[in-house]
């Protein structure tokens, strides 16, 4: 059974600070996603990571993937209030083939304080 | 280009009742997946439909069933509702076998189901 663990679950940080969210998964997978969710809203896709060493950046967010360690990180640089949201990583279940069934972590609720 | 749409937005039902949720996929997509997201948790995969058939199923009881129509839209049915079925139900559409680096699954806005 594929397990996806995120930490921390809750994160409060000051504006302008840097921090990293971690996503560990238990079984080899060929792709990993990061999503953002605002309260009461759906999931907004941020990044898809396909290979070992992959790094993607968009604005103040940077995601990386280490498939050997089964670890992905989402790094936040110089946080601003607009980044306050819940962030999920999701891993494709290898046995799901082309169905690409996603297994999600529990999410990290990020609050950026002024 | 319309994205994934879901209806209704909100729904309140009583224990033991039945409910039907609807999803229209993004234009050009042929596959629909359903996820349940309980409050404070990550989404959990319910099942996926392709070519009007259920092709993959998560760990959900038979009370959860679905359907896909020839136009690729889909319904999720839940019978004998329990309080624990209260959640946000998300529909995601994709194109089967799509390769490449794109974000293959596009999520709809969700239906918030409350069971009282």
């Amino acid at each position: 059974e594929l397990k996806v663990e995120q930490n921390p679950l809750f994160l409060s940080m000051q504006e302008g600070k840097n921090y990293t969210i971690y996503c560990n998964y238990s079984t080899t997978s060929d792709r990993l996603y990061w999503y953002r969710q605002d309260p009461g809203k759906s999931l907004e896709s941020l990044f898809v990571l396909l290979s070992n060493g992959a790094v993607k950046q968009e604005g103040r967010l940077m995601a990386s993937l280490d498939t050997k360690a089964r670890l992905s990180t989402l790094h936040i640089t110089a946080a601003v209030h607009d980044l306050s949201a819940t962030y999920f990583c999701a891993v494709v279940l290898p046995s799901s083939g082309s169905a690409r069934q996603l297994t999600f972590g529990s999410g990290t609720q990020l609050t950026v304080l002024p | 280009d319309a994205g994934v749409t879901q209806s209704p937005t909100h729904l309140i039902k009583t224990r033991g009742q039945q409910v039907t949720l609807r999803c229209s996929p993004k234009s050009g997509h042929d596959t629909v997946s359903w996820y349940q997201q309980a409050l404070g948790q990550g989404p959990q995969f319910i099942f996926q439909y392709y070519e009007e058939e259920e092709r993959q199923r998560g760990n959900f009881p038979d009370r959860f069933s679905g359907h896909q129509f020839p136009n690729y839209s889909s319904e999720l049915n839940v019978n004998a509702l329990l309080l624990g079925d209260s959640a946000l139900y998300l529909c995601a559409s994709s194109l089967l076998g799509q390769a490449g680096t794109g974000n293959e699954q596009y999520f709809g806005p969700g239906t918030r189901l409350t069971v009282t």
Side-chain angles (χ1 to χ4, degrees):
Chain A
E1 180 188 355
L2 173 60
K3 293 187 185 299
V4 181
E5 294 184 353
Q6 283 182 242
N7 69 84
L9 298 183
F10 299 93
L11 175 58
S12 290
M13 53 191 301
Q14 297 285 333
E15 277 190 330
K17 298 293 186 182
N18 305 332
Y19 209 83
T20 300
I21 298 171
Y22 298 88
C23 173
N24 289 91
Y25 54 99
S26 61
T27 305
T28 301
S29 177
D30 66 349
R31 61 191 65 209
L32 184 143
Y33 298 84
W34 283 96
Y35 291 91
R36 168 182 171 144
Q37 188 175 41
D38 292 295
K41 304 293 186 182
S42 188
L43 299 171
E44 175 190 352
S45 180
L46 296 175
F47 302 108
V48 55
L49 302 169
L50 297 179
S51 60
N52 188 43
V55 177
K56 296 274 185 79
Q57 183 164 7
E58 181 72 34
R60 301 175 187 275
L61 300 177
M62 182 175 71
S64 65
L65 179 62
D66 181 343
T67 57
K68 294 178 182 177
R70 297 176 188 163
L71 170 68
S72 180
T73 61
L74 181 66
H75 187 73
I76 303 155
T77 301
V80 293
H81 180 70
D82 285 351
L83 290 179
S84 296
T86 298
Y87 293 85
F88 292 96
C89 63
V91 179
V92 170
L93 183 67
S95 61
S96 64
S98 58
R100 298 214 176 103
Q101 174 182 331
L102 295 178
T103 299
F104 285 80
S106 299
T108 296
Q109 186 177 317
L110 171 65
T111 303
V112 181
L113 304 171
Chain B
D1 177 24
V4 181
T5 60
Q6 291 185 245
S7 63
T9 305
H10 296 88
L11 204 51
I12 300 175
K13 290 286 188 177
T14 304
R15 275 179 299 176
Q17 286 188 316
Q18 178 264 345
V19 68
T20 297
L21 311 182
R22 296 176 176 82
C23 171
S24 291
K26 179 179 169 63
S27 177
H29 284 183
D30 58 8
T31 303
V32 173
S33 301
W34 287 93
Y35 291 81
Q36 180 196 65
Q37 185 178 20
L39 194 62
Q41 298 182 21
Q44 286 192 293
F45 177 80
I46 304 175
F47 43 54
Q48 183 183 90
Y49 276 83
Y50 171 69
E51 290 189 335
E52 303 179 46
E53 290 191 359
E54 181 184 295
R55 66 190 302 266
Q56 189 111 43
R57 188 178 183 93
N59 189 24
F60 279 80
D62 292 343
R63 298 187 298 109
F64 289 77
S65 63
H67 188 78
Q68 186 179 35
F69 299 93
N71 67 353
Y72 308 119
S73 67
S74 176
E75 288 182 348
L76 164 65
N77 300 293
V78 186
N79 294 322
L81 285 167
L82 303 173
L83 294 179
D85 295 332
S86 295
L88 179 67
Y89 288 84
L90 296 166
C91 164
S93 77
S94 56
L95 184 61
L96 182 66
Q98 182 184 42
T101 61
N103 299 313
E104 292 103 343
Q105 292 197 32
Y106 293 77
F107 283 84
T111 294
R112 173 73 62 187
L113 172 65
T114 302
V115 182
T116 62

